[in-house]
Amino acid sequence: MLRLDSETGKAKWYKNEGTKSIASALVSILIGMCVGMIIIILVGLAKPEISTKGIMEGIKIVFLGVFSTGRAAGAVTFGFNPVNIGNMLFRGTPLIMAGLSVAVAFKTGLFNIGAAGQYLMGTMGTISVALTLGNSGIPSFIVWILAFTAGVVLGALWGCIPGAFKAFLNINEVITCIMTNWIAANLVTWFFDINDQFKNGADGGKVGYTIPLSNVDVVTPRMGMDVIFKGSQANGGIIIAIIIAIVVYIVMSKTTFGYELKACGSNMHATKYAGINSKRNQILSMAIAGGLAAAGASLYWLSGNTEFFWSTYQTLPADGFNGIPVALLAANHPIGVILSGLFMAMLNIAGLQLKTLTAYNEYIADIIIAVIVYLSAFSMFFKEIMNGRKHKKGGKI
Amino acid sequence: MVFLIQQTMLYAVPLMIVALAGVCAERSGIINLALEGIMIFGAFVGVLFIRTMQENNLFGQESGQLLMILALLTASICGAIFSLLLAFSAINLKADQTIGGTALNMLSPAIVLFFINIIAQQNALMMAKGGAASWFMIKPSTFGLPNDHSWGAFIDLFINKVYLATYICMIVFVIVSIILYKTRFGLRLRSCGENPHASDSLGINVYKMRYAGVTLSGFLAGMGGFTFALTTSNCSSTGQVAGYGFLALAVMIFGNWTPLNIAVGGILFGLFKCIAATYATLDINGDGVCLLAEIGISSYVYRLLPYLITLIILAFTSKNSRVPKAEGIPYDKGAR
């Protein structure tokens, strides 16, 4: 219910839906961080080799991980660290894209848990095209475009499968997404297993990795990122990701097509009645979601210095699943996804700092992320509290 | 042949029990996507229990079976407790069950790997001494006979080089199936997944029934997770169960939410898993020819077949599926 201001006749800013979404996201983040903090304190107290100082350092790094500058004279120091911030932008790129993927599907009323599989298909397309054409004399920026496109197209096609199952057979997309995830994991492993030309045989002891794309010189331009964030892995990928997010925002909120997609998400029967082809829209929405997740993979591998561990048939890439918390935190708003994606990347970096600088390890970041997902599952509950609706006494919620 | 059947059993039994765990939750109306997470948690707790007991010298190798049973029980109970997180968000807070399940799937490996790294300073938690085969496997020496003793092919199949946990899981599978389909409690539980408002009008407490379903589900998934870790990865916990929880979901769909079909599905998919793991050296009829290796189909084909079959079955049976009608919909008393 929207309460109007008695003087201006407009909705008060703090009763606004957007404000509430931001507030409930911040509450989730805060509780997630607190859970991480409590675990750090409890583990620190239980382990005799971790001192009180160690506990304090652990907590500080969880909150200020990207600003840590290493150890000086036995104490953890903080300040502007271009390497960490650059790496945060680099790690944030696939997270933003996966978050966009989940968000677009959510807007159409679909839960895209298949971003991991689409990410893997994009990986396969990009790496195979880039490595095949990289040394054939074609200018490298054309190869870059071809590789990127191949990844996106493969991911989009892979996303179409759950979409088509949903549209034509009315089968829950969650189940089909899970199945296609694992089919993709096995297909990709199979593909790289039988194609020896993509395997990195040069470095001894690195079994199971593909050749980095910098070897064939198909690399995203750094666009000045290497100057600003010296020594980090940051490149133009983050700029491309932000541009894509803005395009998605414009398409979703300013065009007829975007309106049709959102209409399918809010009321399927009404859209049919209004003459919108809801089946086509469901498939298209999943195709776009697949393309976005795959684009994240493409940008990540096209950075050049990353090597893909191809024997992945037993595990799915975490970046695909992390798209879910990114989208949930941003309340499916494409611009918000940029911020929440960078926030997740920041947690990742904080986790790595925790591993190198303290007795704790990087999985604390994953715990925090998981708690945030768990909490955002009942964002409805938070919003209800904020709406001031009191629970009936004695009655069950 | 004996080898193939025994190996298939090792892969199939955890699948069956975890798929039944999925049925318990879905029949009560809650989608349990967190099966994978609960399995990982159960495996971790069980291995940690064994490790702690060994470090404190509370059990010797001769009482290995007792230790294993206690670990299995601990893993199951902790799985049930872990699943309460899902029950709380799905039942009390009426949150989206898919997201809740996904959260648990992310939370479990994170917590498990965090503590494994704290305890063992590496990404795998092993037993403190010995291995699964020397401590927990049933072999002739368990009965005080020399290790090369043979009871003949047929009896060997069942009691030579097998794990007691496999049989416990089979018995529990039968008991839970009977509870679900032949008792008053089971009927009430299933009614909550079909039409909770009708159940409520007849005096059944839908919230309690759904809690019971999810807890039972967590109990079975924890048991399956530990059994999987014990029998196929040498009683170690590495923060993953190779997608078994999701494969169990596939088995559940393949089995159309009924125990007998799930048993068949579990054995079929277990056979695929077993072939994929051993096909290069698999000699089915004992004539020294590795038939499957000569056909030359990649092992990844066997690995992805279960998922592909499930997709195809979904496509063809979507019209007359036995999926519980009220699953995934939070129960709201006021909506009657």
Side-chain angles (χ1 to χ4, degrees):
Chain A
M1 192 177 64
L2 215 57
R3 281 178 208 171
L4 302 180
D5 193 289
S6 54
E7 286 171 20
T8 60
K10 285 179 185 165
K12 285 178 185 168
W13 65 270
Y14 55 88
K15 298 288 182 193
N16 195 323
E17 270 307 303
T19 319
K20 277 179 205 155
S21 300
I22 294 172
S24 76
L26 288 179
V27 170
S28 302
I29 290 174
L30 200 69
I31 297 177
M33 296 287 232
C34 286
V35 170
M37 206 169 79
I38 290 167
I39 291 178
I40 284 183
I41 294 173
L42 289 181
V43 169
L45 293 178
K47 295 274 279 189
E49 60 264 36
I50 300 177
S51 61
T52 322
K53 184 164 149 276
I55 297 175
M56 286 311 294
E57 285 175 356
I59 294 171
K60 269 187 207 162
I61 291 178
V62 164
F63 281 95
L64 300 165
V66 276
F67 298 110
S68 84
T69 47
R71 263 181 198 282
V76 178
T77 53
F78 293 93
F80 179 73
N81 185 343
V83 179
N84 276 350
I85 295 182
N87 283 344
M88 177 182 93
L89 296 178
F90 171 69
R91 289 285 309 121
T93 311
L95 286 173
I96 291 173
M97 298 309 294
L100 283 176
S101 159
V102 177
V104 167
F106 258 133
K107 289 261 185 196
T108 322
L110 300 166
F111 185 43
N112 182 19
I113 200 173
Q118 295 144 9
Y119 182 94
L120 280 174
M121 294 311 271
T123 304
M124 184 169 90
T126 300
I127 291 183
S128 57
V129 168
L131 288 180
T132 313
L133 300 178
N135 285 333
S136 61
I138 302 173
S140 64
F141 79 94
I142 294 181
V143 178
W144 191 97
I145 292 170
L146 286 176
F148 184 74
T149 317
V152 172
V153 168
L154 259 186
L157 288 176
W158 202 248
C160 278
I161 299 174
F165 269 74
K166 174 77 182 177
F168 294 119
L169 300 164
N170 198 21
I171 294 168
N172 192 337
E173 75 281 1
V174 172
I175 297 293
T176 37
C177 277
I178 290 173
M179 299 303 144
T180 48
N181 269 349
W182 289 95
I183 293 175
N186 281 295
L187 270 183
V188 169
T189 311
W190 186 19
F191 176 80
F192 284 108
D193 187 40
I194 54 175
N195 284 299
D196 283 335
Q197 71 268 30
F198 302 134
K199 289 180 193 166
N200 191 354
D203 302 334
K206 269 198 165 181
V207 183
Y209 286 91
T210 59
I211 301 170
L213 297 187
S214 56
N215 282 17
V216 293
D217 218 26
V218 184
V219 177
T220 314
R222 305 293 292 258
M223 297 189 193
M225 287 293 184
D226 50 341
V227 183
I228 309 172
F229 306 108
K230 209 167 245 170
S232 75
Q233 291 177 287
N235 60 23
I238 182 72
I239 296 173
I240 299 173
I242 290 174
I243 292 172
I244 293 177
I246 294 169
V247 169
V248 169
Y249 170 70
I250 293 171
V251 169
M252 289 308 279
S253 24
K254 308 284 176 203
T255 65
T256 320
F257 175 62
Y259 182 79
E260 286 188 5
L261 287 188
K262 282 194 287 188
C264 286
S266 11
N267 192 336
M268 196 63 141
H269 304 293
T271 50
K272 266 183 204 158
Y273 181 69
I276 296 171
N277 188 343
S278 59
K279 287 188 172 148
R280 188 201 64 158
N281 281 345
Q282 278 183 329
I283 299 175
L284 271 181
S285 155
M286 280 308 284
I288 295 172
L292 288 169
S298 300
L299 290 176
Y300 186 70
W301 304 117
L302 282 169
S303 73
N305 41 15
T306 43
E307 295 165 337
F308 174 55
F309 183 71
W310 56 265
S311 182
T312 179
Y313 65 94
Q314 286 197 322
T315 44
L316 292 170
D319 279 343
F321 287 112
N322 283 343
I324 297 167
V326 170
L328 285 175
L329 266 187
N332 304 324
H333 193 288
I335 306 298
V337 162
I338 302 175
L339 298 176
S340 59
L342 289 178
F343 171 73
M344 291 285 161
M346 190 188 84
L347 277 183
N348 266 328
I349 301 289
L352 292 176
Q353 296 294 318
L354 213 53
K355 189 179 172 68
T356 42
L357 295 175
T358 67
Y360 300 100
N361 55 63
E362 71 269 33
Y363 295 104
I364 195 83
D366 293 344
I367 296 180
I368 295 174
I369 294 174
V371 171
I372 291 173
V373 184
Y374 183 72
L375 292 173
S376 54
F378 36 87
S379 59
M380 289 286 291
F381 179 70
F382 285 136
K383 280 187 191 167
E384 248 175 43
I385 292 179
M386 273 182 271
N387 278 339
R389 208 175 96 186
K390 292 198 183 81
H391 297 295
K392 284 162 259 168
K393 269 181 195 168
K396 291 196 179 66
I397 313 164
Chain B
M1 197 67 193
V2 170
F3 174 75
L4 182 66
I5 292 176
Q6 283 190 342
Q7 285 293 312
T8 304
M9 216 155 70
L10 289 191
Y11 285 101
V13 166
L15 268 185
M16 280 159 54
I17 195 102
V18 178
L20 191 69
V23 172
C24 290
E26 301 223 344
R27 282 283 177 207
S28 75
I30 306 285
I31 299 175
N32 191 352
L33 274 192
L35 290 176
E36 174 103 351
I38 300 170
M39 278 181 84
I40 293 171
F41 194 72
F44 168 69
V45 171
V47 175
L48 184 67
F49 179 83
I50 288 179
R51 188 183 160 102
T52 317
M53 290 296 148
Q54 283 179 331
E55 274 169 350
N56 296 325
N57 285 320
L58 290 173
F59 288 87
Q61 196 165 346
E62 66 286 348
S63 51
Q65 299 302 338
L66 180 65
L67 175 60
M68 192 277 299
I69 291 170
L70 288 177
L72 192 64
L73 202 63
T74 319
S76 311
I77 291 169
C78 287
I81 293 171
F82 190 64
S83 71
L84 286 178
L85 280 175
L86 174 71
F88 178 69
S89 86
I91 300 167
N92 291 48
L93 299 179
K94 300 192 175 62
D96 188 308
Q97 298 166 6
T98 323
I99 298 176
T102 310
L104 254 58
N105 277 341
M106 297 170 87
L107 184 62
S108 166
I111 287 184
V112 165
L113 281 170
F114 178 75
F115 282 105
I116 287 179
N117 270 287
I118 293 281
I119 295 166
Q121 275 86 42
Q122 57 175 5
N123 269 348
L125 188 71
M126 311 283 189
M127 290 164 64
K129 49 191 165 188
S134 60
W135 276 65
F136 307 121
M137 191 187 260
I138 299 173
K139 32 190 191 299
S141 61
T142 316
F143 304 99
L145 295 162
N147 252 344
D148 53 358
H149 180 85
S150 174
W151 289 281
F154 189 69
I155 299 179
D156 269 359
L157 180 63
F158 294 108
I159 59 171
N160 198 353
K161 293 184 182 153
V162 292
Y163 289 95
L164 188 61
T166 310
Y167 290 107
I168 296 177
C169 282
M170 283 181 183
I171 294 167
V172 171
F173 183 89
V174 174
I175 293 173
V176 173
S177 305
I178 291 173
I179 289 176
L180 269 184
Y181 282 85
K182 299 289 172 203
T183 65
R184 200 160 56 178
F185 167 77
L187 183 66
R188 287 177 176 175
L189 186 115
R190 284 184 292 134
S191 76
C192 293
E194 297 292 338
N195 192 341
H197 294 293
S199 327
D200 198 10
S201 73
L202 295 172
I204 298 169
N205 188 332
V206 177
Y207 296 107
K208 267 188 194 161
M209 278 299 158
R210 289 195 165 179
Y211 259 104
V214 176
T215 317
L216 190 59
S217 170
F219 187 88
L220 295 177
M223 179 181 260
F226 175 66
T227 310
F228 177 77
L230 173 73
T231 55
T232 62
S233 48
N234 193 19
C235 199
S236 66
S237 165
T238 53
Q240 51 113 328
V241 286
Y244 245 65
F246 293 119
L247 191 58
L249 275 180
V251 170
M252 180 183 79
I253 297 161
F254 180 90
N256 221 352
W257 289 268
T258 50
L260 206 61
N261 293 345
I262 281 175
V264 175
I267 291 168
L268 182 67
F269 289 4
L271 181 67
F272 284 132
K273 271 269 170 188
C274 173
I275 290 175
T278 60
Y279 89 119
T281 54
L282 190 63
D283 181 2
I284 296 174
N285 40 16
D287 55 2
V289 183
C290 301
L291 190 67
L292 289 168
E294 283 184 2
I295 296 173
I297 299 172
S298 167
S299 69
Y300 302 110
V301 176
Y302 298 107
R303 287 205 170 90
L304 68 78
L305 262 182
Y307 305 107
L308 200 60
I309 292 175
T310 310
L311 265 190
I312 294 168
I313 285 194
L314 268 174
F316 282 102
T317 60
S318 64
K319 291 283 180 290
N320 50 7
S321 162
R322 289 283 297 116
V323 51
K325 294 207 174 45
E327 77 165 16
I329 307 162
Y331 178 62
D332 186 359
K333 246 184 178 168
R336 191 154 70 206

